[in-house]
Amino acid sequence: MRTQNTKTRRTRITVIAGVLIASALVAVTTALGSTPVERSSLSEVPGLGATNQTAARDDAVAFYEAFQRENLVQACMARAGFDYRVEVAYPDGVVLEVASYLGVEPSVGDVDDVGASLADGERAENWENFRSLSPGDRDRYAMALYGESADDLIAVGETGTAPGGGADFATGGCYGEAQSAVPGIWVLKRSMSKDLEATRTKAFEVAVNDGAYARCAKSYGFDSRSPGDVEAALVDATLSLEVGEKILEGCVDVWDDTIGAARKTVEEQLFTQRKPDLDAQRDKYEGIVAAMKADTAFMQYVNDVSVYLLSQPVEDVHEGE
């Protein structure tokens, strides 16, 4: 039976990376609320996707950049005298969505060719190689990979907790070099987090002040500024379920139209304010989808990971060992 479980399957070496870059392993969330918008100038900017299509694009790019970093790490570790297998940590369900977005159609029938070897390599090889080294070589490996001691890496691999909270842990070595070389698509979004939150809040205020939803709700005999007010009243039992459902169903288009128009207005304002940064981001990622699809090594990797995930029975889908 196929599964699209969203838990992340990782080696312990990858868990260490996950402790440090967890935010990069989460599918992009809508910056301006949970309801997708038809089209927005912000959403068209890579890294700020707010529709199903643009969010899928951003996840695909993030996965591609993680793949690029892993290849840089592999080459760097080879120069240090160590074998390292490319292993991209990403939630299983998102990987399958990335495959779909890129047009990859993996066949479970291929699992005999790639599934078993991929499973072994993805889940255990780097960690097992690391643990099999002599104490001295383990320290050299850990220092080459992350700039940390072997004992600290083992502790993080077993507990999932980095020393000192993890802010500066394992930011050196080959991993640090790869992060600097390919910082990733989410950098702009993180730098704009306060602006995006303020925009989301302002859009809501504009929609509420428009009054269209309040008028619609009033036609059902209830004073409400937004769907949230109706839902809160239902929870508090100050509104009957029958009336509440009528309002939520009868006024949904009114709210969607109002919040959509409000988002467009405030997005245009933010776009004007941050235009140089947004234009630079768009220029940087121009043609990225075509580049991903033209990268045969990457597309093969997406296929192989997808084949492995789709071949797993439900009882075998779990967090990495």
Side-chain angles (χ1 to χ4, degrees):
M1 178 176 178
R2 295 186 180 187
T3 179
Q4 294 192 12
N5 187 286
T6 56
K7 291 183 179 179
T8 305
R9 185 174 289 104
R10 316 175 192 176
T11 67
R12 286 186 173 85
I13 289 290
T14 309
V15 166
I16 295 166
V19 168
L20 306 172
I21 57 169
S23 62
L25 303 181
V26 180
V28 66
T29 55
T30 298
L32 301 177
S34 58
T35 304
V37 293
E38 289 242 341
R39 183 188 184 280
S40 73
S41 54
L42 286 181
S43 187
E44 295 304 313
V45 177
L48 301 179
T51 67
N52 291 337
Q53 184 72 3
T54 56
R57 172 205 63 198
D58 291 351
D59 276 322
V61 173
F63 191 78
Y64 183 48
E65 290 176 326
F67 176 77
Q68 292 177 314
R69 284 191 291 269
E70 281 294 294
N71 278 278
L72 291 175
V73 170
Q74 184 182 60
C76 178
M77 290 296 284
R79 291 193 296 271
F82 295 105
D83 291 330
Y84 182 89
R85 186 176 180 122
V86 170
E87 50 181 30
V88 179
Y90 226 78
D92 295 352
V94 180
V95 172
L96 295 174
E97 290 170 3
V98 166
S100 176
Y101 175 80
L102 293 173
V104 174
E105 298 181 356
S107 169
V108 176
D110 295 337
V111 70
D112 290 339
D113 297 326
V114 301
S117 62
L118 180 69
D120 290 342
E122 279 293 296
R123 301 181 68 183
E125 190 170 303
N126 285 331
W127 182 254
E128 289 178 357
N129 286 345
F130 169 66
R131 294 301 297 264
S132 70
L133 297 172
S134 67
D137 282 343
R138 273 202 302 268
D139 270 323
R140 286 201 312 111
Y141 182 103
M143 189 59 64
L145 183 57
Y146 287 122
E148 302 291 347
S149 71
D151 287 345
D152 281 345
L153 288 194
I154 291 172
V156 173
E158 292 176 347
T159 67
T161 302
D168 298 316
F169 182 76
T171 55
C174 294
Y175 174 82
E177 291 180 13
Q179 284 293 126
S180 296
V182 187
I185 193 171
W186 307 129
V187 172
L188 177 64
K189 185 175 182 178
R190 287 196 291 268
S191 75
M192 292 179 62
S193 60
K194 291 183 179 179
D195 289 334
L196 292 169
E197 179 60 28
T199 297
R200 180 175 180 272
T201 301
K202 187 174 181 180
F204 179 82
E205 292 173 350
V206 170
V208 166
N209 291 335
D210 177 84
Y213 192 85
R215 291 189 293 274
C216 182
K218 188 67 173 177
S219 70
Y220 291 93
F222 184 73
D223 291 325
S224 171
R225 304 182 310 155
S226 72
D229 290 347
V230 179
E231 292 165 359
L234 288 171
V235 171
D236 295 340
T238 56
L239 178 67
S240 72
L241 181 60
E242 179 183 1
V243 174
E245 288 180 343
K246 286 181 178 179
I247 297 172
L248 292 174
E249 293 175 5
C251 299
V252 62
D253 290 339
V254 173
W255 180 254
D256 285 348
D257 291 344
T258 305
I259 193 69
R263 284 171 178 156
K264 182 177 180 181
T265 298
V266 297
E267 276 190 352
E268 287 174 351
Q269 294 170 356
L270 178 58
F271 196 91
T272 300
Q273 294 168 6
R274 297 295 297 265
K275 190 174 187 299
D277 295 330
L278 297 170
D279 284 347
Q281 181 85 339
R282 290 201 292 194
D283 290 343
K284 177 180 179 180
Y285 287 100
E286 183 177 2
I288 187 63
V289 175
M292 287 189 287
K293 292 182 177 181
D295 189 330
T296 56
F298 172 65
M299 294 294 281
Q300 185 63 53
Y301 185 81
V302 173
N303 176 79
D304 290 354
V305 174
S306 300
V307 165
Y308 170 63
L309 295 177
L310 291 171
S311 70
Q312 299 306 293
V314 173
E315 59 269 21
D316 287 347
V317 177
H318 54 78
E319 195 82 16
E321 298 174 14

